[in-house]
């Protein structure tokens, strides 16, 4: 059990771990590139380590050289040597990104790959990926959830529309389409994160975005160029200290070298709508826009968040609900039913956590109704195996009038192992 103290203000400059979404992709795409890639700033969180572990099980060689990870890519066929094994065990841990992207990556490779994970991941739906990949000729053994077996097979091009705007679903389809015969077109109901497209285009992949919601992919297994990449900081990890700085009068913090990808900073746009004083400074692009975000103590008010706002802020919605509980006036968050299928049912666990701290919050089928103006009281809460709930609880506890406690604080290691240390350091600055 971890003690969570109240906090008066935050001050200072900090950096966060490498972006988790970009780190997953950098490891996977380097594994099938033609040549040696060098990656710096890769997230050391448990989810990304799961991706590396699976790729190593499939025969990919990684070397740690100081701050760099060196990946010896041997093209798409580099994964085929696993076909000499009767069954390749692929332990995805708690990582839905690992499982879903690997389905597309492995669908055309020679061999049988058994994807499995922990109890939480084994409850998360996979049919949204396997059902679409099956239209390309991919073969799977299993049901809607892990464990399941990917049986490598020849793939054909498709033209299809996905039911949900999901970067994981889209990325799995793109990876499969690159290995299929012919040209595929993938359309989403709304634009999702574009890390996959940005990175693959930089590696020479034959794909292009035709509008905000459609990607055209040329199959045939064209060779990918190796990467020389500095992974930017994760804006989802930075959001917790930035939000808390806005909530604590007199605070002033800056996060440096963080991704400013427009598809990743939807939470910050919503925070600005609530009255937050935020400053963004662009510093470069390769292939992601990178820069700094500065936050000041602010007077925040409630807002209504619609489905169109959700896709670019889905990971931060438990935190947004926490901010809304502290802000003046009511807020609603709708169109977020996807939260029911994360590491926990994040609608239920967020509402329970905030009620424990004294908030008035109602669960909706697809979000929350939050009264606002909470006078936070000390509480004993549980992370429910979810890193986002654990970090949101630390923000709520910082606003309470006495010390609180958290069971399951170790789950922050999924994405941000140094979270509590960084929060303590920012709290102790003069």
């Amino acid at each position: 059990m971890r003690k969570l103290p109240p906090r008066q203000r935050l001050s200072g400059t900090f950096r966060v771990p490498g972006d988790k979404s970009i780190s997953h992709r950098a490891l996977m795409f380097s594994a099938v590139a033609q040549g040696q890639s060098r990656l710096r700033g890769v997230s050391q969180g448990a989810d990304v380590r799961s991706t590396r572990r699976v790729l190593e099980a499939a025969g990919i060689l990684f070397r740690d050289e100081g701050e760099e990870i060196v990946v010896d890519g041997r093209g798409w066929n580099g994964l085929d040597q696993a076909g000499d094994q009767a069954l390749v065990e692929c332990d995805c841990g708690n990582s839905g990104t690992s499982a879903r992207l690997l389905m597309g990556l492995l669908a055309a490779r020679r061999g049988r790959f058994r994807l499995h994970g922990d109890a939480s991941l084994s409850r998360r739906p996979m049919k949204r990926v396997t059902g679409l990949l099956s239209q390309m000729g991919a073969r799977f053994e299993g049901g809607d959830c892990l464990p399941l077996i990917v049986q490598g097979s020849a793939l054909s091009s498709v033209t299809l529309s996905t039911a949900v705007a999901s970067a994981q679903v889209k990325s799995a389809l793109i990876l499969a389409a690159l290995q299929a015969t012919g040209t595929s077109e993938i359309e989403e109901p709304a634009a999702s994160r574009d890390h996959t497209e940005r990175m693959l285009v930089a590696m020479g992949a034959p794909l292009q975005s035709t509008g905000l919601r459609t990607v055209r992919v040329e199959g045939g297994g064209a060779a990918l160029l190796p990467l020389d990449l500095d992974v930017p900081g994760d804006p989802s990890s930075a959001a917790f200290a930035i939000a808390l700085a806005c909530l604590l009068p007199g605070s002033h913090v800056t996060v440096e070298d963080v991704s400013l990808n427009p598809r990743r900073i939807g939470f910050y746009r919503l925070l600005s709508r609530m009255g937050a004083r935020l400053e963004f400074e662009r510093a470069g692009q390769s292939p992601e826009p990178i820069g700094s975000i500065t936050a000041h103590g602010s007077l925040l008010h409630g807002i209504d968040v619609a489905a169109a706002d959700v896709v670019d802020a889905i990971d931060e919605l438990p935190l947004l609900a926490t901010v809304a509980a502290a802000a003046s006036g009511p807020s609603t968050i709708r169109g977020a039913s996807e939260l029911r299928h994360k590491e926990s049912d994040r609608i239920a666990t967020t509402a329970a956590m905030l009620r424990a701290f004294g908030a008035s919050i109602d669960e909706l089928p697809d979000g929350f109704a939050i009264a606002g103006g909470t006078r936070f009281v000390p509480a004993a809460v549980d992370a429910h195996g979810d890193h986002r709930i654990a970090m949101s609880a630390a923000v709520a506890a910082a606003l309470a009038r006495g010390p609180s406690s958290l069971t399951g604080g170790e789950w922050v290691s999924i994405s941000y192992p140094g979270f509590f240390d960084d929060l303590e350091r920012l709290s102790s600055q003069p």
Side-chain angles (χ1 to χ4, degrees), residues 320-332:
L320 185 68
T322 304
V323 174
S328 64
S331 295
T332 59

Side-chain angles (χ1 to χ4, degrees), residues 1-22:
M1 183 176 294
R2 175 177 286 272
K3 296 297 184 184
L4 299 177
R7 302 184 188 276
Q8 298 301 311
R9 63 191 291 268
L10 297 187
S11 179
T13 300
F14 70 111
R15 294 188 178 187
V16 290
D19 186 273
K20 189 159 71 84
S21 297
I22 297 172

Side-chain angles (χ1 to χ4, degrees), residues 333-341 345 347-348 362-369:
I333 299 173
R334 303 301 302 261
S337 57
E338 180 69 15
L339 291 179
R340 299 282 188 188
H341 308 291
D345 176 343
I347 293 177
D362 292 324
E363 286 187 45
L364 305 175
D366 60 347
F368 311 95

Side-chain angles (χ1 to χ4, degrees), residues 127 140-145 147-149:
K127 197 74 172 180
F140 301 94
E141 299 173 20
D144 185 28
C145 299
L148 58 79
I149 293 173

Side-chain angles (χ1 to χ4, degrees), residues 43-293:
S43 169
Q44 296 302 305
D47 274 6
V48 174
R49 293 200 307 271
S50 292
T51 287
R52 175 170 171 170
R53 181 173 61 244
V54 170
L55 293 170
E56 287 175 330
I60 303 302
L61 300 177
F62 296 86
R63 296 195 309 279
D64 295 299
E65 295 185 358
E67 297 298 313
E68 285 189 327
I69 297 176
V70 180
V71 189
D72 290 325
R74 288 169 296 205
W76 297 101
N77 294 337
L79 290 171
D80 287 347
Q81 64 179 319
D84 297 330
Q85 304 178 40
L87 187 67
V88 181
E89 293 289 345
C90 302
D91 181 2
C92 299
N94 189 247
S95 176
T97 301
S98 302
R100 293 184 177 119
L101 268 64
L102 284 165
M103 289 175 191
L105 185 69
L106 298 173
R109 304 323 321 155
R110 181 166 60 88
R112 285 165 56 83
F113 306 87
R114 181 178 180 268
L115 302 180
H116 57 96
D118 67 9
S120 172
L121 183 58
S122 298
R123 293 190 297 268
R124 298 174 68 181
M126 298 294 160
K127 197 74 172 180
R128 65 184 62 181
V129 180
T130 60
L132 294 171
L133 288 172
S134 295
Q135 295 183 38
M136 305 177 72
R139 296 164 58 193
F140 301 94
E141 299 173 20
D144 185 28
C145 299
L146 298 186
L148 58 79
I149 293 173
V150 183
Q151 172 67 63
S153 57
L155 304 181
S156 301
S157 60
V158 290
T159 298
L160 53 78
S161 298
T162 65
V164 295
S166 165
Q168 292 179 0
V169 174
K170 176 180 64 176
S171 297
L173 292 169
I174 289 173
L175 290 171
L178 285 169
Q179 304 173 75
T181 58
T183 301
S184 296
E185 285 201 359
I186 302 156
E187 183 181 16
E188 298 185 284
S192 65
R193 296 178 183 180
D194 62 354
H195 298 308
T196 291
E197 297 95 308
R198 286 174 180 267
M199 190 177 296
L200 286 173
V201 166
M203 298 174 76
L207 64 88
Q208 62 179 15
S209 297
T210 57
L212 288 176
R213 300 186 291 112
T214 304
V215 180
R216 180 179 292 118
V217 185
E218 298 290 338
L224 301 180
L225 300 172
L227 284 169
D228 185 2
L229 179 68
D230 291 290
V231 177
D234 192 325
S236 296
S237 294
F240 297 91
I242 292 293
L244 185 54
C246 292
L247 291 167
L248 294 175
S251 294
H252 175 97
V253 300
T254 298
V255 57
E256 297 181 322
D257 297 328
V258 70
S259 171
L260 297 181
N261 184 312
R263 298 270 76 84
R264 291 299 304 282
I265 57 174
F267 168 77
Y268 297 93
R269 292 193 291 270
L270 294 172
L271 200 57
S272 294
R273 278 174 50 191
M274 299 178 80
R277 297 164 55 207
L278 300 177
E279 300 162 11
F280 300 85
E281 184 173 346
R282 183 93 166 251
Q285 179 162 326
S286 60
E288 298 277 339
I290 301 169
S292 64
I293 304 172

